[in-house]
Amino acid sequence: MGGGLTQSVHILIDGQEQDQVPALDRAIQYGDGLFETIRIVEGRPCQWQRHLDRLSIGAERLGIPLPDVALWVAEAAELIQGQSDGVLKLILTRGEGGRGYRPPDHPKIRRLVLVYPPPNTPDPWQQGVGVRYCQTPAAINPALAGIKHLNRLDSVLARAEWDEPGIAEGLMFDATGVLVGGTMTNVFLWDGARLLTPPVDRAGIAGTVRGLTLELAARMGVECLVTRLDLEALDQVQGLFLTNSLIGVWPVRELAGRRFDLTRLPWALINRIHQTAFTPG
Amino acid sequence: MGGGLTQSVHILIDGQEQDQVPALDRAIQYGDGLFETIRIVEGRPCQWQRHLDRLSIGAERLGIPLPDVALWVAEAAELIQGQSDGVLKLILTRGEGGRGYRPPDHPKIRRLVLVYPPPNTPDPWQQGVGVRYCQTPAAINPALAGIKHLNRLDSVLARAEWDEPGIAEGLMFDATGVLVGGTMTNVFLWDGARLLTPPVDRAGIAGTVRGLTLELAARMGVECLVTRLDLEALDQVQGLFLTNSLIGVWPVRELAGRRFDLTRLPWALINRIHQTAFTPG
């Protein structure tokens, strides 16, 4: 398995072609680091700046020094060469440390660049996806919410709850019943007049396409309310869609057995999100 | 730094002397795994069974197959050879996976055994330690509470809040103000007649010495209430102590500037915890 996987993934670690990380790296020991997953279209990363901005915010929050971004971008370009479509993943770790949670005073950070084959996405994407509810709660922690850190066991356990190929995503709530998002997506509800989406100040990730959606909605005059939502709010919507950087936007065709009339969704906005999310550069 | 660290740590990965892990291991990608840190005394691990039991519960919870425990125990014994005092760390990962949170159907788990030098602990331990409050909240997630998984960023950020050598530990609360424990310890409050300690069903770790303390208290007729506690509860105590497998038990001499009369603590119990926690086997 290892060999097969490694063959289809290209990896640079601190600029070197290698595929191993020291066991004492704090990413292994504590999940002490950050990552980004970025869609490659026409051989170039999409929404580069948004990903670098989020990484920078995360590094600031965790107190991990940011590597030379120009260097990282150059390494990514080198590794992508010849691959027109795919997934670029960046991982920033706090590097090696002694035993114990306390971060080293002068961490020797480690930067990974990985390039994967393109994701499997339904085609045509406009026909929407099937979604379920997850039992696994999303972790509540204001200090870690919003950023894309390496502590992702809640999403792992939630994603392990189903294996039906017809279900593309699962919605997660926190332990108090507040809607957080999908295991790998942000969620936008449509009540017929406005979009509603959960804040990411206590749980969840500030997705790059979430940010893009908020901006495009404002520009196109579509009201979007960032507000706490629960299961009851979901019962009242006319439809919903999911966003992330690899899939762009997925309209939801069915949620836990309930079918939606996709024509009711704000398609002008949705088409614009799709187009913009997958524009390289 | 890497070289220096690696020199003082001995590592076996899947039984082989090596110190690198594939970058695609899910421990690096998502913190998808478990660990145990175990005190070595007279060349033997202390409280072996409690650690293996917790690992087994954690593996069940995360859906990670447990490796052959006899094999792991034998590897630990091999690596400890010649080291009379130290720290044994076990890490179990879900192994390599493709991109995405979904766990592989048939994970090829990876087992790490690491042996570190002994921890720095105050001597004499009976004189107690200084403790502070941390601002970083402990994550709330009932699905992950209690087990010793590799998602430890909350403890990392809390431990980064101070570097005064006189402060040995910091107490953490969840985002709703409920006391969880120390960054690396469980906490027991003493109200003059009873012990009080937080449950570990929403946040925190079920420490092996916490379990030992509950058992010894029951056996010695010391009442111990497992109950939700907050800052106000801390204001009312006569004293407190901390437990973990590497330090055994630490009475708290001072908490955020408040000094405690250590003679008020239940010393018969505390001495017994100390003795039992550090009995090999």
Side-chain angles (χ1 to χ4, degrees):
Chain A
M1 184 180 184
L5 280 174
T6 307
Q7 275 170 22
S8 61
V9 185
H10 302 279
I11 309 175
L12 286 180
I13 302 180
D14 288 337
Q16 306 298 311
E17 268 189 58
Q18 56 183 91
D19 60 5
Q20 306 268 316
V21 172
L24 297 184
D25 192 287
R26 292 172 59 98
I28 300 173
Q29 305 274 330
Y30 307 124
D32 194 359
L34 297 158
F35 73 112
E36 292 290 330
T37 45
I38 303 165
R39 183 67 183 260
I40 301 166
V41 170
E42 294 168 12
R44 287 158 60 208
C46 299
Q47 301 287 322
W48 239 139
Q49 197 53 51
R50 284 180 200 273
H51 288 284
L52 294 173
D53 287 349
R54 180 171 58 187
L55 202 56
S56 164
I57 291 167
E60 170 85 30
R61 194 96 78 81
L62 298 188
I64 299 180
L66 210 56
D68 180 342
V69 167
L71 185 68
W72 223 359
V73 168
E75 287 170 1
E78 178 194 332
L79 204 62
I80 290 169
Q81 256 180 17
Q83 185 150 353
S84 72
D85 191 9
V87 175
L88 168 67
K89 183 167 180 171
L90 305 179
I91 301 179
L92 172 64
T93 87
R94 208 188 299 265
E96 288 165 68
R99 216 194 38 72
Y101 294 129
R102 185 176 175 185
D105 292 331
H106 304 287
K108 289 182 67 176
I109 54 169
R110 178 164 280 118
R111 62 181 193 283
L112 284 73
V113 183
L114 305 97
V115 174
Y116 294 81
N120 292 322
T121 46
D123 191 37
W125 64 274
Q126 293 95 334
Q127 295 190 358
V129 296
V131 174
R132 53 168 281 154
Y133 293 124
C134 292
Q135 296 300 316
T136 306
I140 299 174
N141 194 332
L144 296 173
I147 63 175
K148 206 164 167 82
H149 55 67
L150 296 174
N151 280 198
R152 300 265 74 105
L153 270 174
D154 50 1
S155 283
V156 168
L157 293 191
R159 186 57 191 83
E161 288 184 37
W162 82 93
D163 59 4
E164 300 93 322
I167 301 293
E169 178 59 306
L171 292 187
M172 298 177 71
F173 300 81
D174 71 22
T176 70
V178 170
L179 177 65
V180 174
T183 65
M184 59 165 188
T185 57
N186 292 109
V187 59
F188 289 84
L189 315 189
W190 177 248
D191 73 0
R194 296 173 314 177
L195 288 174
L196 304 123
T197 193
V200 289
D201 57 344
R202 288 170 52 90
I205 297 177
T208 54
V209 184
R210 177 183 182 272
L212 174 66
T213 299
L214 294 174
E215 284 177 28
L216 290 176
R219 210 178 303 161
M220 294 172 71
V222 177
E223 191 185 348
C224 184
L225 209 58
V226 178
T227 184
R228 298 212 194 281
L229 299 159
D230 56 13
L231 199 56
E232 214 170 304
L234 275 162
D235 282 344
Q236 293 161 13
V237 298
Q238 290 194 2
L240 62 156
F241 61 84
L242 307 171
T243 62
N244 93 9
S245 58
L246 302 187
I247 61 161
V249 53
W250 278 347
V252 175
R253 190 183 61 238
E254 186 174 328
L255 172 62
R258 179 177 164 209
R259 293 192 70 91
F260 292 97
D261 177 358
L262 292 183
T263 62
R264 293 196 173 182
L265 286 173
W267 278 100
L269 173 63
I270 289 173
N271 283 316
R272 183 76 70 87
I273 299 165
H274 178 81
Q275 192 180 33
T276 315
F278 289 156
T279 303
Chain B
M1 184 182 183
L5 280 175
T6 307
Q7 274 169 24
S8 62
V9 186
H10 302 279
I11 309 176
L12 287 180
I13 302 180
D14 289 338
Q16 306 297 314
E17 269 189 57
Q18 57 183 91
D19 59 6
Q20 307 266 317
V21 171
L24 297 184
D25 192 289
R26 292 173 58 98
I28 300 173
Q29 305 273 331
Y30 307 124
D32 194 0
L34 297 157
F35 73 113
E36 293 290 330
T37 46
I38 304 165
R39 184 66 183 261
I40 301 166
V41 170
E42 295 168 11
R44 288 157 61 207
C46 299
Q47 300 289 321
W48 240 139
Q49 196 54 52
R50 283 181 201 274
H51 289 283
L52 294 174
D53 287 350
R54 181 173 56 188
L55 201 56
S56 163
I57 291 167
E60 170 84 30
R61 195 96 77 82
L62 298 188
I64 299 180
L66 210 56
D68 179 343
V69 168
L71 185 69
W72 223 0
V73 168
E75 287 170 0
E78 179 196 331
L79 203 62
I80 291 169
Q81 257 182 20
Q83 186 150 352
S84 71
D85 191 8
V87 175
L88 169 65
K89 184 165 180 173
L90 305 179
I91 300 178
L92 173 63
T93 86
R94 208 188 298 265
E96 289 164 69
R99 216 194 38 71
Y101 295 130
R102 185 177 174 184
D105 291 331
H106 304 287
K108 289 183 69 177
I109 53 168
R110 177 164 281 119
R111 61 180 194 284
L112 283 74
V113 184
L114 304 98
V115 174
Y116 294 81
N120 292 323
T121 46
D123 192 35
W125 65 275
Q126 294 94 334
Q127 294 189 359
V129 295
V131 174
R132 55 169 279 156
Y133 293 123
C134 291
Q135 297 299 317
T136 307
I140 299 174
N141 194 333
L144 297 173
I147 63 175
K148 207 166 166 82
H149 55 68
L150 295 174
N151 280 196
R152 300 266 72 106
L153 270 173
D154 49 1
S155 284
V156 168
L157 293 191
R159 186 58 192 82
E161 288 184 35
W162 82 94
D163 59 5
E164 301 94 319
I167 301 293
E169 178 59 307
L171 291 187
M172 297 177 72
F173 299 81
D174 71 22
T176 70
V178 170
L179 177 66
V180 173
T183 65
M184 59 165 190
T185 58
N186 291 109
V187 60
F188 289 84
L189 316 188
W190 177 248
D191 74 1
R194 295 174 313 179
L195 288 174
L196 303 121
T197 193
V200 290
D201 58 343
R202 286 169 54 89
I205 297 177
T208 55
V209 184
R210 176 183 183 273
L212 174 66
T213 299
L214 294 174
E215 284 177 27
L216 290 176
R219 213 180 300 162
M220 295 172 71
V222 178
E223 192 186 346
C224 184
L225 210 57
V226 178
T227 183
R228 300 211 193 278
L229 300 159
D230 56 15
L231 199 58
E232 214 171 303
L234 275 162
D235 282 343
Q236 293 162 12
V237 298
Q238 290 194 3
L240 63 155
F241 61 85
L242 307 171
T243 62
N244 92 11
S245 58
L246 303 186
I247 62 160
V249 54
W250 278 347
V252 175
R253 190 183 61 240
E254 189 175 327
L255 173 62
R258 178 176 165 210
R259 293 193 70 89
F260 292 98
D261 177 359
L262 291 183
T263 63
R264 294 194 173 184
L265 286 173
W267 278 99
L269 173 64
I270 288 173
N271 283 315
R272 184 76 70 86
I273 299 166
H274 178 81
Q275 191 180 32
T276 314
F278 290 157
T279 302

